[in-house]
């Protein structure tokens, strides 16, 4: 328990409050945390992995349970009373998702998926790639976006990558412009990038959406790491496809995500198969089928009709707290943490922390990737950091966070070095094999990420943990 506040904590908190007067405007989140997330402090957790998963409020679980206990939900693919009840609530949730993102229902459709990866795969497997077509990706992408390249290559299309420029780990706009100018006229060009990096927290401009579309690209926006703490206004921005996971926004339910797609873009996709639920009719003897139009054509089998209603409950929670308020809060906390971490130096003057990505809160979210170094300048193995932080009940993430492109640039790994390691390995090569091969480079990083109910005690705990690694003068 951190209730008996020590003087250093109180002093630091007072200094933080003075430096970030806007934080006071987010005090209602402290009440939400006390009321609805009491287990965090009761069990002594310092949760710093919101980019891994959001946390759920106790009221979400209760409201969802009440909803299930107060209705009889049957398989929605029918017209009996319990089926109608399920259909009604699933369709209400669909409208709720559109409303939450201010998406016009004449323009956008919501496909419920298992998670963001599933939404991305639906686009990848259905996009009409043909020889000469192009897939343009930022280096900075989750593997669930990188994997789309396997679909386009299998159909003879090309994959192009936009490198990140250190130290900020952003894309050089002139390089982007040149790549966008290379759209194949009359072909299919798909540009996929994350609104916020799950590695560095960099926010890539949403202005790229219209810029790419006017030059002939369809845009797939991976919003999974962005939407938990940032408002995505689909009345203002009009990506063709948006992928997200709801558990990253509000912790519960897991197993439900969405592909929010422009109806016109959805109509251009071709599913590689059909399934129960995705067709109007099919015949075995006539060997024919007629796909369902719109979102239904992308929801294979029975939708998760008992969990989808929990999405509505989660969206209401976010709406009641205010996404802008959450944003302001994590911005203030991450700004403090960045400054404090960068100020930590060993007795001999060497820095403890190397942050990958922007050193301010400008155009970045509250996801910080870093490595820690000892006084001799040797990196402290990120796995030992995860272990020792864990002993203090601090949950953070280490590794490459399924984002190898951003990681490779951040850690200064070159293509020949990585190719050499792949050539030296075999088909069973593991992450540890790669780590050993690229030694003495760092083969991963530490990630600290803030979210819905982060507070000053959380960031202070991590600063204190890091400070404990400082070495005095030799
Ligand atoms: C930016 C980004 N995209 C996609 C994903 C994949 O999400 P999921 O594992 O929920 O499918 C993640 C997960 O961390 C992510 O951060």
């Amino acid at each position: 328990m951190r209730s008996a506040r020590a003087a250093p904590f109180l002093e630091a908190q007072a200094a933080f409050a003075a430096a970030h007067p806007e934080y006071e405007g987010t005090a209602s989140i402290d009440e939400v945390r006390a009321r609805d997330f009491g287990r965090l402090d009761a069990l002594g957790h310092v949760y710093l992995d919101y980019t891994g998963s959001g946390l759920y409020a106790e009221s979400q679980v209760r409201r969802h349970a009440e909803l299930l206990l107060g209705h009889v939900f049957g398989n929605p693919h029918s017209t009996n009373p319990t089926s109608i009840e399920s259909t009604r609530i699933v369709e209400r949730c669909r409208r709720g998702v559109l409303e939450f993102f201010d998406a016009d229902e004449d323009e956008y459709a919501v496909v419920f998926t298992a998670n963001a990866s599933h939404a991305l795969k639906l686009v990848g497997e259905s996009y009409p790639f043909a020889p000469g077509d192009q897939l343009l990706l930022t280096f900075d992408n989750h593997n669930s976006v990188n994997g789309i390249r396997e679909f386009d290559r299998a159909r003879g299309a090309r994959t192009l990558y936009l490198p990140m420029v250190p130290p900020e780990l952003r894309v050089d706009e002139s390089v982007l412009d040149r790549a966008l100018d290379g759209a194949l006229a009359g072909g299919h060009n798909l540009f996929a990038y994350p609104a916020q990096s799950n590695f560095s927290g960099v926010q890539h401009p949403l202005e790229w959406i219209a810029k790419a579309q006017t030059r002939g690209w369809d845009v797939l926006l991976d919003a999974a790491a962005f939407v938990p703490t940032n408002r995505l206004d689909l009345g203002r921005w009009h990506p063709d496809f948006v992928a997200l996971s709801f558990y990253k926004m509000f912790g519960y339910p897991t197993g439900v995500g969405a592909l929010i797609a422009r109806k016109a873009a959805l109509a251009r996709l071709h599913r590689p198969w059909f399934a129960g639920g995705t067709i109007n009719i099919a015949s075995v003897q006539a060997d024919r089928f007629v796909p369902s139009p719109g979102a239904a054509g992308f929801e294979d089998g029975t939708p998760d009709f008992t969990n989808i209603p929990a999405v509505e409950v989660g969206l209401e929670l976010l709406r009641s707290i205010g996404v802008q308020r959450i944003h302001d809060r994590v911005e203030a906390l991450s700004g403090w943490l960045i400054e404090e971490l960068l100020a930590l130096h060993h007795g001999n003057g060497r820095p403890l922390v190397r942050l990958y990505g922007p050193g301010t809160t400008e155009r970045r979210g509250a996801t910080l990737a870093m490595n820690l170094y000892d006084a001799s300048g040797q990196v402290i193995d990120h796995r030992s950091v995860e272990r020792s932080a864990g002993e203090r009940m601090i949950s953070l993430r280490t590794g490459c966070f399924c984002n190898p492109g951003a990681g490779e640039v951040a850690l200064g790994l070159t293509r020949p070095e990585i190719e050499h390691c792949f050539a030296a390995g075999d088909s069973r090569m593991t992450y540890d094999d790669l780590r050993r091969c690229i030694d003495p480079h760092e083969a991963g990083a530490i990630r600290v990420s803030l979210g819905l109910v982060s507070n000053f005690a959380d960031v202070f705990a991590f600063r204190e943990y890091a400070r404990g690694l400082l070495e005095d003068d030799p």
Side-chain angles (χ1 to χ4, degrees):
M1 285 283 287
R2 278 173 278 129
S3 53
R5 299 293 193 202
F9 173 80
L10 295 173
E11 270 167 36
Q13 191 178 36
F16 164 72
H20 295 276
E22 71 281 10
Y23 188 75
E24 206 186 324
T26 73
S28 56
I29 297 180
D30 291 319
E31 289 158 30
V32 173
R33 178 165 170 146
R35 188 179 63 233
D36 234 348
F37 293 80
R39 64 192 191 282
L40 262 180
D41 294 313
L43 300 174
H45 282 283
V46 177
Y47 189 72
L48 296 173
D49 189 22
Y50 283 88
T51 301
S53 173
L55 296 178
Y56 49 84
E58 284 149 35
S59 61
Q60 276 172 265
V61 183
R62 265 196 304 275
R63 285 194 53 199
H64 182 220
E66 279 160 17
L67 195 86
L68 294 181
L69 297 175
H71 293 80
V72 181
F73 292 124
N75 188 308
H77 289 153
S78 188
T79 53
N80 63 52
T82 52
S83 178
I84 290 171
E85 191 73 339
S86 293
T87 301
R88 190 182 61 80
I89 200 145
V90 168
E91 293 312 309
R92 199 176 73 193
C93 290
R94 228 187 274 284
R95 286 194 300 279
V97 173
L98 289 173
E99 276 167 26
F100 185 84
F101 292 106
D102 261 327
D104 182 340
E105 65 178 336
D106 288 335
E107 182 183 9
Y108 278 101
V110 172
V111 177
F112 284 117
T113 61
N115 46 36
S117 302
H118 179 202
L120 294 161
K121 180 166 180 258
L122 280 178
V123 177
E125 70 180 13
S126 310
Y127 194 77
F129 289 119
D133 288 344
Q134 304 183 79
L135 170 66
L136 178 64
L137 303 171
T138 44
F139 265 45
D140 185 5
N141 257 316
H142 192 276
N143 269 338
S144 300
V145 178
N146 287 323
I148 295 175
R149 71 189 188 206
E150 300 304 311
F151 289 117
D152 86 83
R153 284 175 185 168
R155 294 191 220 126
R158 291 196 306 153
T159 308
L160 307 170
Y161 267 108
L162 295 165
M164 321 310 301
V165 184
E168 289 248 322
L169 301 179
R170 298 187 196 275
V171 171
D172 177 338
E173 292 268 343
S174 64
V175 175
L176 171 70
D177 282 336
R178 271 202 303 282
L180 292 179
D181 282 342
L184 180 74
H188 298 106
N189 306 286
L190 180 64
F191 175 35
Y193 75 97
Q196 179 170 315
S197 170
N198 72 317
F199 183 95
S200 63
V202 161
Q203 294 184 339
H204 300 293
L206 295 174
E207 283 78 5
W208 288 355
I209 298 166
K211 186 191 241 195
Q213 286 168 332
T214 54
R215 297 184 202 189
W217 295 83
D218 291 316
V219 177
L220 167 55
L221 187 72
D222 178 0
F226 182 79
V227 287
T229 56
N230 296 277
R231 172 143 177 64
L232 178 64
D233 180 352
L234 294 178
R236 175 166 180 216
W237 312 105
H238 301 271
D240 297 278
F241 308 104
V242 179
L244 55 90
S245 281
F246 290 109
Y247 73 88
K248 290 205 191 283
M249 297 175 75
F250 34 74
Y252 178 88
T254 48
V256 186
L259 171 65
I260 308 176
R262 290 184 56 235
K263 288 180 174 173
L266 206 55
R268 290 198 297 275
L269 301 183
H270 299 291
R271 297 296 315 276
W273 80 321
F274 65 86
T278 71
I279 46 166
N280 286 348
I281 41 165
S283 163
V284 169
Q285 295 189 70
D287 195 14
R288 297 279 300 274
F289 75 94
V290 178
S292 301
F298 291 82
E299 290 176 351
D300 298 340
T302 304
D304 195 346
F305 62 93
T306 58
N307 274 320
I308 288 172
V311 169
E312 193 179 53
V313 175
L315 292 175
E316 272 170 32
L317 176 81
L318 283 196
R319 199 178 279 117
S320 70
I321 296 172
V323 175
Q324 189 58 41
R325 184 167 289 130
I326 299 165
H327 176 274
D328 294 347
R329 186 173 176 95
V330 299
E331 184 173 63
L333 291 170
S334 60
W336 180 87
L337 187 57
I338 290 171
E339 271 182 29
E340 291 288 320
L341 291 175
L342 294 180
L344 294 176
H345 288 82
H346 294 287
N348 62 8
R350 284 214 164 100
L352 174 75
V353 178
R354 177 164 172 220
L355 185 73
Y356 302 115
T360 70
T361 54
E362 207 187 321
R363 293 183 295 139
R364 67 127 64 238
T367 298
L368 316 182
M370 69 195 85
N371 265 313
L372 305 180
Y373 294 81
D374 67 18
S376 70
Q378 286 296 308
V379 69
I380 303 173
D381 189 319
H382 58 78
R383 292 198 174 163
S384 84
V385 171
E386 180 159 1
R387 240 185 338 268
S388 59
E391 284 160 9
R392 290 163 180 75
M393 293 295 277
I394 297 174
S395 289
L396 45 73
R397 191 70 154 239
T398 65
C400 80
F401 328 121
C402 296
N403 188 331
E408 288 162 16
V409 175
L411 303 174
L413 298 172
T414 63
R415 180 175 171 164
E417 282 170 316
I418 303 164
E419 279 178 345
H420 162 78
C421 291
F422 273 97
D426 60 21
S427 60
R428 289 160 303 164
M429 186 171 173
T430 64
Y431 177 59
D432 277 336
D433 295 334
L434 183 68
R435 263 167 67 88
R436 273 190 291 277
C437 174
I438 61 182
D439 189 63
H441 284 294
E442 299 83 346
I446 301 156
R447 186 180 74 187
V448 165
S449 55
L450 310 180
L452 188 55
V453 290
S454 292
N455 65 10
F456 183 72
D458 293 330
V459 289
F460 182 78
F462 184 69
R463 202 278 307 258
E464 286 302 277
Y465 163 74
R467 228 160 56 102
L469 299 171
L470 289 177
E471 295 168 46
D472 293 335
D473 278 330

